């Protein structure tokens, strides 16, 4: 299985911090934000990784990460996304890299506590389709909410006033070859999902949340 990290976009919600750099390079506690999704994939045994980035700070990723030696990797792949085309556009850039094999896609601005190795192994045995990792929360109206039909993900509703479930997307997706026309499908077309209970997802999309998550990661790592 290969890994794809989506770290493009312009990060306008974090202005003025992102006027001079990509938001995924901003610090969260003692590391740049992008370190966390890379480590998530490495901890799951995924070592062939593509980083999708964009904006004026795209070259900074190469200067910071190089070939991924700091994570024990022999090589790190990069591709450039123009503008803000969203997840589907970013995934279309990963089609050649995926080479019709299974991939794990992680959004670059989410921090996942613990690991996803159990979900990755379960997906490898699934034999087809796609899987989305979900998290049950008390305030789903703040996030992208999964609308379910049994174990099937029907669609995702962004910040609905009346959520149809307590499950939100965590920004981790698994795809098999039959799901690739990578950029041609919407997230809501995925047939399978994994309810993620042991790992915790942290969104850092706004300045206030960025500060909160720095505190959270600091306290968590101090307690380990």
């Amino acid at each position: 299985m290969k890994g794809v990290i989506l770290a493009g976009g312009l990060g306008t919600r974090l202005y003025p911090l992102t006027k001079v750099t990509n938001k995924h390079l901003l610090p969260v506690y003692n590391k740049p934000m992008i370190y966390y999704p890379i480590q998530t994939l490495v901890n799951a045994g995924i070592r062939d990784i593509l980083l999708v980035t964009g904006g004026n700070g795209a070259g900074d990723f190469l200067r910071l990460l190089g070939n991924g030696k700091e994570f024990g990797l022999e090589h790190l792949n990069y591709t450039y996304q123009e503008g803000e085309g969203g997840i589907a556009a970013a995934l279309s850039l990963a089609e050649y890299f995926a080479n019709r094999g299974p991939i794990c896609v992680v959004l670059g601005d989410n921090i996942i506590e613990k690991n996803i190795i159990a979900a990755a192994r379960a997906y490898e045995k699934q034999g087809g389709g796609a899987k989305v990792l979900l998290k049950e929360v008390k305030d789903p109206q703040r996030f992208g909410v999964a609308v379910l039909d049994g174990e099937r993900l029907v669609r995702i509703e962004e910040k609905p006033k009346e959520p149809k479930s307590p499950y939100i997307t965590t920004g981790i997706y698994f795809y098999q070859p039959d799901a690739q026309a990578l950029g041609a499908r919407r997230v809501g077309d995925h047939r399978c999902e994994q309810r993620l209970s042991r790992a915790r997802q942290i969104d850092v999309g706004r300045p206030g949340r960025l500060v909160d998550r720095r505190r959270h990661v600091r306290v968590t790592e101090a307690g380990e």
Side-chain angles (χ1 to χ4, degrees), residues 62-180:
L62 184 59
R63 286 187 286 272
L64 173 67
L65 301 171
N67 281 331
K69 182 179 180 181
E70 188 171 345
F71 300 91
L73 301 174
E74 295 183 358
H75 183 70
L76 190 58
N77 303 278
Y78 299 86
T79 190
Y80 185 83
Q81 178 185 13
E82 297 182 3
E84 289 188 300
I87 295 176
L91 285 178
S92 68
L93 297 173
E95 188 169 3
Y96 179 80
F97 169 77
N99 194 27
R100 300 194 63 81
I103 61 171
C104 175
V105 179
V106 181
L107 300 189
D109 59 355
N110 283 353
I111 299 171
I112 304 294
E113 293 178 5
K114 300 186 184 295
N115 63 67
I116 61 169
I117 190 168
R121 288 176 176 173
Y123 182 67
E124 287 179 330
K125 298 177 181 179
Q126 182 172 300
K131 187 185 292 289
V132 181
L133 300 193
L134 305 177
K135 171 71 178 179
E136 185 176 5
V137 299
K138 295 180 180 179
D139 53 350
Q141 66 276 5
R142 293 176 51 220
F143 306 94
V145 176
V147 179
L148 304 173
D149 180 10
E151 292 297 303
R152 180 177 179 273
L153 177 59
V154 178
R155 64 182 180 277
I156 294 173
E157 296 181 346
E158 287 295 329
K159 300 180 181 178
K161 292 183 179 179
E162 298 183 2
K164 293 182 175 62
S165 83
Y167 294 100
I168 66 168
T169 58
T170 63
I172 299 180
Y173 312 90
F174 293 93
Y175 295 87
Q176 280 281 39
D178 61 359
Q180 294 166 4

